[in-house]
Amino acid sequence: MSTFSQINRFLFGKPLPTSAHAEERLGNFAALAILASDALSSVAYATEEILLVLAVAGTGALGLSLPLAGAIALLLGIVILSYSQTLRAYPKGGGSYIVARENLGLYPGLIAAASLLIDYILTVTVSVSAGIAALTSAIPALHSFTVPLCIGAIALLTIANLRGVREAGKIFMLPTYSFIFSIFLLIILGLYKQATGGIPAPPAAAPLQATSGSLGIFLILRAFSAGCTALTGVEAISDGVLVFKPPEWKNARRTLFYLGSILCLMFLGITYLVHSYHLVPVEKETLVSVLGREIFGNGLLYYFLQVSTLFILLLAANTSFADFPRLCYFVARDGYLPRQLALLGDRLVYSNGIRLLSIAAAILVVVFKGQVNALIPLYAVGVFTSFTLSQAGMVRHWFKLREKGWQLSGFINGLGAMTTLLVLAVIVATKFRLGAWMVVVAIPLLVCFFVSIHRHYRIVASKLEINSIKPIPRPPRLPVDAVGTHPAIVLVGQLHLGTLQALDYARTIADEIVAVHIDTGSTNRAALEQKWQELESDIPLVILDSPYRSIVTPLIEFVQYFETRHSGIFSTIIIPVFVTRNWWEEILHNQTAFFVRAALRVKGSRVVTTVRYYL
């Protein structure tokens, strides 16, 4: 095992066979820790974001935080109820992309996918930045190290998630439930102090700034949109149904209701206490930290609150690490993202999607210097776009099927669609100049990127397809005494024109040929063998199983066996590849040939030939 392989094994664990996929499911409490940490953690900054906006009109306007929090809690209830209908209709997973594409068409589906992908990246950036802000609030000396700390936190989350779903669940349960416990303890003790008269007298409220009626309404709507960040991450459970133990959708729906109840109580409780204790946001300290000092003092409970807040905010990013790769899989499976994103890694997670998310989030941290207030205006546009498209798709779904009770389900989803559309309009209108315009522009650009990728894959498939080739009668090859004097192995991935040319080349140089195909679990063996008999019947096809989804390992083992059998003779390993017209298009294809050649070189194979097919 190479040094790189040893480091990889140490950090991420041993590879898991595909057969262990069912064992990687989660119970409700572990799933809540992984999939709901984003939504739950939003209580650490949602109230503060509301107050920061209201403070523009003077401290006398801060009392509006309570009715705004009530409106957001009502919106949360509508969204939770709407997604419970989605889970019933899509028991194997009904994220916005799937629902919108199936019911509204291709482009609404791609818009939903683009919106969510952007929002998941922002979730990691905002959550990690907010978590480090909690740390620097408790330890101000670390404030100048904000960006390195954020990047370090992203790296740790990446490693934890690359270790697999069950490993992540074990790691994240304790911090999630510690945060829930600390917030409820804060609320209970805060209410107790209020009931026993332990609240200081309110300071004199600054008069409301002289604002026109339209400006006053605008500020209220902007404060409402800022508080709507509390709803980000709610869809994660609908996207992640398949991580639950059977019956998946019922367990997912139960967890969704747990999430809604806990989130609503914590958000309303913190907003009420901040109002009751007459607190306002201060520079370089989070509002939850200020509230914690007021109720807990500067003792152990305060630091427990801050540490648990730090960890839940870091883990809030984990919701994206759970769902971003899965959404990438769905989109890549349909041909709108690079196919590498649809591959399961060694630990039965979509590791390429996890790495892509980490890189994108780290870039945003550097660009925005880890400042939560700079990132918040970009936040929530994507999630409410996907909310609206998903719920509109569900209305269409119920009207098409007209199953028992479809009227009530359609009404619930219709209410959800109209409500989230209204909120989306408010968010875009109030945050557009503050940075939301970047997300509004990025979504259609990303959709264009999806379409261009799909167009490329369609062109490549048309140039490689062999369906129009009629069956070719192949006379049996002459028998070889014992072993051939010019043996060759041809690696067969998919049976296309490039593969046929490689096989024709093998016939010109070898007297003994064997074709090898590695089945990673996605091969239609019957179809492959039937087509092989029609076109290449004179060459034996060996299909090797790969329970760990690796192309390289079983192929190397077969090559070693073949070369040992033909010891003293040069064996030729032939690798067919197709060459795209532009170099950047190579990124969209698996670089299997490169890794196979590198592994064969390490193992000492002497003759490795690449047969190129130019598109």
Side-chain angles (χ1 to χ4, degrees), residues 85-275:
Q85 303 302 308
T86 304
L87 289 170
R88 182 166 68 89
Y90 288 86
K92 295 300 179 183
S96 294
Y97 169 67
I98 294 174
V99 174
R101 183 172 182 188
E102 286 189 7
N103 297 287
L104 301 178
L106 172 62
Y107 283 98
L110 293 179
I111 292 171
S115 302
L116 269 183
L117 290 175
I118 291 171
D119 191 73
Y120 284 144
I121 295 170
L122 287 169
T123 293
V124 175
T125 312
V126 170
S127 300
V128 168
S129 300
I132 297 303
L135 176 62
T136 56
S137 294
I139 311 176
L142 295 176
H143 194 268
S144 59
F145 299 98
T146 294
V147 172
L149 288 170
C150 287
I151 293 175
I154 292 172
L156 291 175
L157 284 166
T158 302
I159 293 172
N161 280 277
L162 286 173
R163 292 188 65 87
V165 173
R166 289 184 66 189
E167 291 282 345
K170 293 175 183 177
I171 294 170
F172 299 146
M173 278 184 70
L174 179 60
T176 299
Y177 289 107
S178 295
F179 174 74
I180 293 173
F181 173 77
S182 67
I183 293 295
F184 276 112
L185 182 62
L186 179 72
I187 293 170
I188 292 169
L189 288 181
L191 292 174
Y192 174 77
K193 285 187 70 173
Q194 181 187 27
T196 56
I199 297 180
L208 289 174
Q209 300 292 328
T211 58
S212 65
S214 59
L215 180 58
I217 293 172
F218 180 82
L219 280 173
I220 292 171
L221 291 176
R222 185 176 154 197
F224 174 77
S225 66
C228 283
T229 54
L231 274 74
T232 56
V234 170
E235 196 204 44
I237 291 175
S238 184
D239 270 330
V241 172
L242 292 182
V243 307
F244 287 87
K245 292 180 177 179
E248 293 89 349
W249 76 273
K250 290 185 178 180
N251 283 322
R253 187 168 66 173
R254 190 175 295 117
T255 305
L256 182 66
F257 285 129
Y258 292 157
L259 163 64
S261 303
I262 294 171
L263 174 58
C264 187
L265 289 172
M266 291 198 302
F267 175 58
L268 290 176
I270 286 179
T271 306
Y272 175 77
L273 287 177
V274 166
H275 173 74

Side-chain angles (χ1 to χ4, degrees), residues 62-78:
L62 298 181
L64 293 173
S65 61
L66 285 180
L68 286 175
I72 293 168
L74 178 62
L75 174 62
L76 172 63
I78 293 172

